[in-house]
Amino acid sequence: MYPADYGLLTPAWAATPVAKAASDAAFAQGMLDVEAAWVKVQAEAGLCSSADAQAVEQIAKVELYDLAALAAAGPDGANALIPLLGMMRKQLADTGAPATAATALHRGATSQDIIDSALMLIASRSIADVRTDLLAAAGALSELSAAHASTLCVARSLTQHALPTVFGLRAANWLASLTAAGRQLDAVAASLPLQWGGAVGTLASLHQRLGSALPYKSEKRLAERAHELTAALADELGLAAPIAPWHTVRQPVLGLGSALGSVIAAAGTFGADVLTASRPEIGELSEPREAGKGGSSAMPQKQNPVHSVLLRNAAFSAPAHVAALYTAAGTAVDERPDGGWHAEWASLRELIRLAGGAAHHAAILATGLGVHPEAMARNIALSGDLLVSERISTVAAPLVAGGKAAVQELVLESLRTGTPLRTLLQGALPSDMDNQLFLDDLLDPAGYLGSATDFITRIREDFTDWKDS
């Protein structure tokens, strides 16, 4: 027996909405939906009866099928669709359906048409959940960035204290990443295509069938009619009508995989920053406290940052799956890839799951994130006046004998001896200046924030544009 995949080893997406939307059952239902929709389109075009379409619709329900048996039979044909068709035809016979229903089922199609289209259906249905959680995460970050537009904190470059910034800008940068990834995902979702080409991407079998049904057999008219039926099937499934079959043209899969990878990467950056800032010795952020979440099996005092860990887990896992899609696309050959196509399935499905899980955990994290300005102030104080040394080098250098080199030496002396930079500057500045007032202004980190506030506003406006689009 093949047990269901509940995600015991993949907690980044387990128990999130996408776990069901991208499950084996959802994939099987996707294949059933494509097959049923095709018979319905044929019936509407007069290529089979409405009774045939109704019969197939009645047996296109995943609960009627033994998925463990389906998985066990999959290796016999190298895909799950081939044994599923056998099970569907048996269901038709067992329910007393017209014999013509079994003939109309899968007519003119090939396994890749059904499997690729089913994967596009899973993606389309899952992306709806991903977008909902992305919007929730982004909305919470937008509120945080506005609430902390003037909350000073230290900006870090290559892990070290660099310059002053505001926490609102850091939150806005997380927001900017999620917004950009959301836009990319929306663009892909709007163009997820149906796959429909028949055995080798020529629709020859469908042309043959149409040739016997149409009053005249112009090749141009047959091609037009075949495209009309393909478009009708795409519309029935809520997918985009393709220009042509894409059996070995794998850009639709690459675009989808890249967009999902962007969501995961954006959420991963958010999680990684929270992990760093929530270390007790930094203490600037903390995860929301939830009953039953974040506990340690051995250390009762610990509150583990589980949502951030899972975001980082997803970010570590995703690149290999994106790479697998590009490898498969780059080795797609002939009119049907010999193994490359098969390699896409698990990676694409896992990217859907990871993106859904990452968006879900990002929403929880952003909505309940604890922000601790007092810790941010404490950490700023660790660098003291040195935090604005870039500004000092620019403003004070013209006033100090020896210029910029002399100021740099004062900075190094402060680092070596621990003498406050303010004290050293007071002795180096001209005696006829109001050094105290000048230094109060020069060394105030709040006075060296550049366009931080403007950037926060711009990023929040961009998010609003995406949200309302």
Side-chain angles (χ1 to χ4, degrees):
M1 293 294 288
Y2 287 74
D5 183 358
Y6 295 109
L8 294 181
L9 295 178
T10 45
W13 56 258
T16 67
V18 78
K20 181 177 181 181
S23 65
D24 278 357
F27 172 62
Q29 185 61 63
M31 291 191 291
L32 293 166
D33 289 343
V34 176
E35 294 285 7
W38 176 230
V39 179
K40 180 181 178 183
V41 167
Q42 291 181 73
E44 291 171 347
L47 298 177
C48 67
S49 69
S50 59
D52 293 335
Q54 290 170 5
V56 173
E57 182 183 9
Q58 287 302 308
I59 59 97
K61 299 171 182 175
V62 71
E63 59 268 22
L64 298 176
Y65 299 89
D66 182 343
L67 298 187
L70 182 61
D76 295 342
N79 69 63
L81 189 276
I82 292 172
L84 180 62
L85 283 172
M87 293 177 177
M88 292 179 75
R89 291 191 170 107
K90 183 176 186 304
Q91 285 282 349
L92 289 171
D94 291 347
T95 56
T100 49
T103 303
L105 178 68
H106 198 65
R107 180 157 51 197
T110 192
S111 298
Q112 190 171 359
D113 294 335
I114 308 304
I115 289 173
D116 279 353
S117 296
L119 286 169
M120 294 300 106
L121 275 182
I122 281 183
S124 178
R125 293 164 180 174
S126 299
I127 285 172
D129 290 328
V130 176
R131 193 177 197 275
T132 296
D133 280 330
L134 270 183
L135 283 171
L141 290 177
S142 180
E143 291 178 7
L144 275 176
S145 66
H148 292 280
S150 59
T151 302
L152 287 173
C153 65
V154 63
R156 297 175 177 88
S157 173
L158 303 181
T159 75
Q160 303 301 298
H161 285 202
L163 292 172
T165 186
V166 288
F167 176 69
L169 183 57
R170 184 171 295 152
N173 283 326
W174 297 330
L175 169 62
S177 291
L178 292 183
T179 299
R183 288 187 189 278
Q184 185 178 350
L185 193 63
D186 283 353
V188 167
S191 60
L192 291 173
L194 174 77
Q195 171 73 280
W196 210 251
V200 296
T202 63
L203 287 178
S205 178
L206 181 57
H207 274 234
Q208 185 70 35
R209 174 60 180 162
L210 290 171
S212 64
L214 292 174
Y216 53 90
K217 302 179 182 179
S218 153
E219 284 300 320
K220 180 179 180 181
R221 177 56 186 146
L222 288 174
E224 288 174 347
R225 188 61 180 139
H227 184 69
E228 289 167 1
L229 293 178
T230 299
L233 177 57
D235 186 64
E236 180 69 24
L237 293 170
L239 298 174
I243 295 173
W246 41 280
H247 288 167
T248 53
V249 182
R250 307 312 289 170
Q251 269 60 37
V253 172
L254 295 183
L256 174 58
S258 294
L260 294 166
S262 291
V263 170
I264 298 162
T269 295
F270 175 32
D273 277 346
V274 174
L275 282 171
T276 297
S278 65
R279 289 174 178 268
E281 57 270 27
I282 297 174
E284 295 178 355
L285 300 174
S286 60
E287 286 216 354
R289 288 191 175 270
E290 305 164 89
K293 297 286 181 69
S296 166
S297 63
M299 295 164 282
Q301 87 283 3
K302 285 187 69 183
Q303 179 67 28
N304 293 319
V306 290
H307 297 295
S308 305
V309 166
L310 293 178
L311 293 181
R312 198 147 166 78
N313 168 203
F316 277 128
S317 302
H321 295 295
V322 175
L325 297 184
Y326 275 85
T327 301
T331 56
V333 295
D334 300 324
E335 278 65 50
R336 183 77 57 80
D338 53 351
W341 170 54
H342 306 72
E344 292 175 353
W345 307 337
S347 286
L348 184 59
R349 199 261 292 269
E350 191 62 14
L351 284 169
I352 293 170
R353 286 169 154 178
L354 288 170
H360 186 74
H361 288 289
I364 296 171
L365 181 58
T367 302
L369 187 65
V371 180
H372 308 299
E374 69 285 355
M376 295 177 183
R378 182 189 69 232
N379 291 331
I380 284 178
L382 293 175
S383 286
D385 299 332
L386 293 170
L387 194 61
V388 290
S389 60
E390 181 185 64
R391 185 186 197 190
I392 294 167
S393 295
T394 301
V395 176
L399 304 174
V400 174
K404 192 169 184 177
V407 171
Q408 181 63 36
E409 182 55 37
L410 293 177
V411 170
L412 294 176
E413 183 179 348
S414 176
L415 288 170
R416 285 195 305 269
T417 66
T419 304
L421 185 55
R422 172 186 286 266
T423 302
L424 296 174
L425 284 169
Q426 281 176 333
L429 289 169
S431 58
D432 59 348
M433 287 181 57
D434 187 345
N435 292 348
Q436 189 65 40
L437 187 61
F438 173 74
L439 290 173
D440 285 347
D441 179 68
L442 179 66
L443 303 178
D444 181 5
Y448 199 61
L449 297 173
S451 294
T453 301
D454 182 62
F455 290 149
I456 292 169
T457 299
R458 288 169 175 263
I459 291 169
R460 294 186 71 231
E461 288 174 348
D462 185 52
F463 161 64
T464 300
D465 288 344
W466 168 54
K467 178 184 68 173
D468 296 339
S469 63

